[in-house]
């Protein structure tokens, strides 16, 4: 796998009910249909995360795994990290603090 095989989604500001995210189910489905199954969501600009946002993350994660890929999180803010920990999703999502580390994690992944 090369860096070119990864799709990074960076313009994510709010992951909560009532706000349009930078991605939606149709966007993720389109990526999957075109073979882009390894995703990185850069959450550095996320100011709020609620159950609707968590649902979007989980749906995207499931879609990637159903297509043989993965979704990993980058630059998760402390509040979002605490919420993912409280909901036990920190055990599901791989979270990274640097671009280099997340790219390396995909290169080391089987498949």
């Amino acid at each position: 796998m090369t860096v070119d095989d990864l799709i990074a989604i960076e313009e994510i500001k709010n992951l909560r009910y009532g706000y349009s995210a930078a991605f939606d189910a149709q966007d993720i489905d389109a990526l999957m249909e075109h073979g882009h199954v390894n995703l990185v969501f850069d959450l550095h600009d996320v100011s709020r995360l609620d159950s609707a946002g968590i649902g979007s993350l989980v749906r995207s994660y499931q879609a990637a795994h159903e297509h043989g890929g993965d979704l990993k999180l980058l630059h998760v803010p402390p509040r979002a990290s605490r919420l993912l920990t409280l909901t036990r999703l920190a055990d599901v999502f791989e979270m990274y603090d640097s671009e280099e580390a997340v790219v390396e994690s995909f290169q080391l992944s089987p498949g």
Side-chain angles (χ1 to χ4, degrees), residues 67-98:
H67 287 88
D70 204 356
L71 179 142
K72 300 181 183 189
L73 305 179
L74 177 63
H75 300 133
V76 180
R79 289 179 69 176
S81 180
R82 282 191 301 276
L83 184 56
L84 291 171
T85 299
L86 286 171
T87 58
R88 299 183 187 229
L89 290 171
D91 295 333
V92 173
F93 291 104
E94 290 182 45
M95 296 184 272
Y96 296 89
D97 294 325
S98 75

Side-chain angles (χ1 to χ4, degrees), residues 39-42 70-74 94 96 102 105-106 109:
L39 307 175
V40 176
F41 284 6
D42 188 338
D70 204 356
L71 179 142
K72 300 181 183 189
L73 305 179
L74 177 63
E94 290 182 45
Y96 296 89
V102 74
S105 75
F106 277 105
S109 295

Side-chain angles (χ1 to χ4, degrees), residues 9-80:
I9 299 178
E10 299 176 330
E11 296 298 319
I12 303 171
K13 304 274 188 212
N14 283 300
L15 283 171
R16 61 186 178 140
Y17 182 75
Y19 287 82
S20 68
F23 64 96
D24 60 21
Q26 291 87 6
D27 295 331
I28 299 302
D29 289 343
L31 288 171
M32 298 296 135
E33 289 174 13
H34 288 93
H36 303 293
V37 298
N38 291 307
L39 307 175
V40 176
F41 284 6
D42 188 338
L43 304 183
H44 77 276
D45 279 337
V46 170
S47 59
R48 306 275 181 180
L49 177 66
D50 68 5
S51 60
I54 289 173
S56 293
L57 291 174
V58 170
R59 281 189 297 281
S60 299
Y61 177 88
Q62 288 173 324
H65 278 259
E66 287 171 3
H67 287 88
D70 204 356
L71 179 142
K72 300 181 183 189
L73 305 179
L74 177 63
H75 300 133
V76 180
R79 289 179 69 176

